[in-house]
């Protein structure tokens, strides 16, 4: 990773903007020196002192040439290979860099220096900055986690989950409640409940050109909110290691959907086995610790389980979240999707539910699903409520522009 402090970053760290005397050349040398890392061949001739030197030391510990990527603890030479040294380093980067950079550096440290095992120590977890990617790492270590660390790990996961719920829950409930109300169409609505767009569309054949107006013979209106279950949603989530962030977001959304009285929500996670976590949806932290990141993928087996639980196809939406690298029976998987679609099930295929964009995925399977009326696309958490609303109303899915 190449880190060049931007003007905004410099302000956030307090070490800072262009010199008051306008010595732009000196400032450029300073920044290049931080980027190049102090190798004798950097050619800047610019010494670092004070805060700059401390920033350079923190960067060099992670990105210096002596640091071997993806090693074990014995290769973490830049950070000393011990929990106290790493904890100090984590504190340093929070001091010198803005939050977004801290998150990137933490992820790089886990990846490049093999620090995942150190996260099994409570002192390390207390020092780290919680985010979705850290939660994914902790979940992948869940089976190896000692009892002394589990409570600290749960606290870290709960903080991230609560932050996500604050960000996503209210808007999701409002969007889906509106979609449920609109999906319950009535033909004798009160005036204030008339859906004018659908009414006009349904009566275009009654257009009177001499009056330049449509005379509606049939009114279409919004139904009133119902306390009964109006839709059933099945989230079928691939828990292979590459889907970690999607698992975190899907668990939070499943808990939010379960809190909407008129939606019956089921959460199914799978690798080569299938686990139904529906009974844990009152607490998404319990859901996450019920997952098992890693392993293979058997989408067909997972869809078979979901299909067996569908009792009202026309009122059911299945959301498959997977990169589609199928380890099971491909043709059988496609036949199941076709059968569900033919029975009236709404089917949504998400290659990822995260902020990371479209991941690597099986393009052949994605194309086959698109032919069946289940186009596959990546979706950000902020866009997910609109996707679900469209699926509930049986409207075209708002597929994000791939460009």
């Amino acid at each position: 990773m190449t880190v060049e402090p931007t003007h905004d970053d410099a302000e956030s760290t307090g070490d800072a903007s262009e010199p008051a005397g306008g010595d732009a050349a000196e400032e450029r040398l300073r920044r290049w020196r931080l980027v190049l890392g102090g190798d004798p061949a950097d050619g800047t001739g610019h010494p670092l002192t004070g805060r700059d030197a401390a920033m350079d030391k923190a960067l060099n510990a992670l990105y210096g040439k002596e640091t071997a990527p993806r090693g074990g603890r014995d290769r973490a030479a830049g950070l000393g290979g011990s929990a106290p040294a790493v904890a100090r380093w984590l504190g340093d980067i929070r001091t010198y860099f803005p939050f977004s950079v801290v998150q990137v550096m933490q992820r790089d440290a886990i990846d490049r220096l093999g620090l995942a095992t150190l996260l099994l120590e409570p002192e390390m977890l207390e020092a780290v900055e919680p985010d979705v990617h850290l939660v994914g790492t902790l979940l992948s270590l869940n089976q190896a986690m000692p009892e002394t660390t589990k409570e600290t790990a749960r606290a870290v996961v709960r903080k991230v989950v609560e932050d996500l719920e604050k960000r996503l829950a209210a808007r999701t409930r409002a969007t889906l409640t509106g979609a449920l109300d609109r999906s319950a169409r009535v033909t004798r609505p009160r005036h204030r409940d008339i859906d004018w767009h659908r009414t006009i569309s349904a009566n275009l054949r009654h257009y009177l050109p001499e009056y330049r107006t449509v005379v509606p013979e049939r009114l279409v209106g919004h139904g009133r909110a119902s306390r009964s279950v109006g839709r059933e949603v099945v989230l079928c989530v691939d828990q292979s290691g590459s889907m970690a962030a999607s698992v975190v977001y899907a668990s939070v959304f499943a808990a939010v959907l379960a809190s909407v009285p008129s939606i019956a929500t089921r959460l199914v996670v799978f690798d080569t086995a299938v686990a139904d976590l529906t009974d844990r949806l009152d607490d998404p932290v319990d859901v996450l610790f019920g997952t098992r990141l890693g392993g293979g993928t058997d989408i067909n087996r997972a869809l078979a389980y979901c299909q067996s639980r569908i009792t009202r196809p026309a009122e059911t939406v299945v959301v498959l979240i997977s990169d589609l690298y199928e380890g099971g029976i491909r043709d059988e998987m496609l036949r199941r999707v076709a059968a569900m679609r033919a029975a009236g099930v709404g089917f949504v295929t998400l290659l990822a539910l995260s902020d990371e964009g479209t991941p690597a995925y099986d393009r052949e399977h994605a194309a086959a699903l698109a032919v069946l009326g289940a186009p596959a696309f990546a979706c950000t958490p902020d866009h997910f409520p609109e996707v679900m609303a469209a699926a509930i109303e049986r409207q075209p899915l708002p597929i994000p522009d791939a460009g």
Side-chain angles (χ1 to χ4, degrees):
M1 170 181 174
T2 299
V3 175
E4 180 179 354
T6 65
H7 188 76
D8 291 340
D9 289 347
E11 289 178 347
S12 65
T13 61
D15 185 38
S17 56
E18 293 290 329
D23 191 356
E26 186 70 13
E27 177 63 10
R28 281 197 297 273
L29 284 175
R30 167 187 170 269
R31 296 187 181 197
W32 273 113
R33 169 61 182 79
L34 285 167
V35 169
L36 295 170
D39 187 279
D42 65 25
T44 67
H46 184 92
L48 295 179
T49 59
R51 192 181 185 89
D52 283 350
M55 289 173 64
D56 186 62
K57 182 179 178 181
L59 290 168
N60 190 62
L62 178 56
Y63 302 112
K65 290 184 177 180
E66 73 278 7
T67 303
R70 293 186 176 275
R73 289 182 62 165
D74 58 329
R75 293 192 182 184
L79 296 179
S82 67
V86 176
R88 285 193 297 272
W89 180 79
L90 289 167
D92 287 344
I93 64 174
R94 286 202 302 273
T95 299
Y96 302 131
F97 302 100
F99 177 70
S100 59
V101 176
V102 169
Q103 289 183 306
V104 171
M105 293 179 73
Q106 284 183 171
R107 293 201 296 271
D108 285 350
I110 291 169
D111 186 49
R112 291 169 59 86
L113 302 179
L115 297 185
T117 53
L118 286 180
L119 293 177
L120 301 179
E121 302 180 23
E123 296 80 5
M124 273 289 295
L125 284 178
E126 290 169 358
V128 81
E129 193 72 53
D131 67 359
V132 168
H133 298 279
L134 176 64
V135 170
T137 301
L138 291 177
L139 296 179
S140 69
L141 298 171
N142 186 26
Q143 303 302 315
M145 196 174 291
E147 290 300 322
T148 54
T149 305
K150 285 188 175 180
E151 283 308 308
T152 306
R154 288 183 73 88
V156 170
V157 172
R158 187 168 298 281
K159 182 181 186 305
V160 174
V161 166
E162 288 175 351
D163 289 345
L164 291 178
E165 285 184 312
K166 288 176 185 176
R167 167 187 159 192
L168 302 169
R171 180 165 162 268
T172 300
R173 292 191 189 100
T175 301
L176 296 188
T177 300
L180 288 163
D181 291 348
R182 291 189 298 272
S183 67
R185 302 294 172 187
V186 294
T187 56
R188 298 183 64 184
R190 300 177 183 181
H191 184 271
R192 63 183 176 181
D193 293 331
I194 295 173
D195 184 334
W196 289 108
H197 178 76
R198 287 177 174 265
T199 295
I200 292 170
S201 297
N203 290 275
L204 286 175
R205 66 181 179 276
H206 303 304
Y207 177 71
L208 300 179
E210 62 271 26
Y211 295 104
R212 301 180 66 185
T213 190
V214 171
V215 178
E217 291 189 358
R218 180 170 67 89
L219 298 177
V220 181
H222 303 309
R224 295 283 177 162
S226 171
R227 292 185 179 275
S228 62
V229 173
R231 287 290 186 273
E232 297 183 10
V233 174
V234 181
L235 295 177
C236 185
V237 186
D238 183 344
Q239 62 176 354
S240 57
S242 61
M243 301 296 294
S246 297
V247 170
V248 176
Y249 280 115
S251 299
V252 172
F253 275 118
V256 173
L257 293 174
S259 70
V260 179
S262 48
I263 297 178
T265 305
R266 183 179 296 276
L267 176 63
V268 176
V269 299
F270 67 93
D271 41 34
T272 53
V274 178
D276 192 328
L277 302 180
T278 304
D279 60 350
R280 304 189 188 191
L281 286 180
D282 58 333
D283 186 349
V285 176
D286 278 346
V287 169
L288 287 168
F289 277 95
T291 62
R292 185 183 61 189
L293 290 176
T297 307
D298 192 338
I299 303 172
N300 176 55
R301 185 173 185 178
L303 290 180
Y305 177 85
C306 295
Q307 188 178 23
S308 72
R309 296 302 187 271
I310 295 173
T311 58
R312 301 190 304 157
E315 285 78 42
T316 300
V317 176
V318 173
V319 183
L320 172 64
I321 304 175
S322 172
D323 55 17
L324 301 180
Y325 287 112
E326 170 66 316
I329 306 173
R330 173 190 184 274
D331 292 342
E332 186 65 24
M333 174 192 78
L334 295 175
R335 281 196 290 269
R336 289 192 190 282
V337 175
M340 284 189 274
R341 293 281 295 146
V345 174
F347 202 96
V348 179
T349 310
L350 300 182
L351 301 169
L353 179 57
S354 71
D355 294 304
E356 307 303 312
T358 304
Y361 65 96
D362 190 307
R363 295 178 181 275
E364 184 179 348
H365 288 166
L369 287 171
V371 170
L372 298 175
F377 57 97
C379 177
T380 65
D382 289 332
H383 192 60
F384 184 72
E386 282 70 34
V387 170
M388 288 305 303
I392 285 171
E393 293 187 73
R394 302 305 171 98
Q395 296 294 309
L397 297 178
I399 299 175
D401 185 355

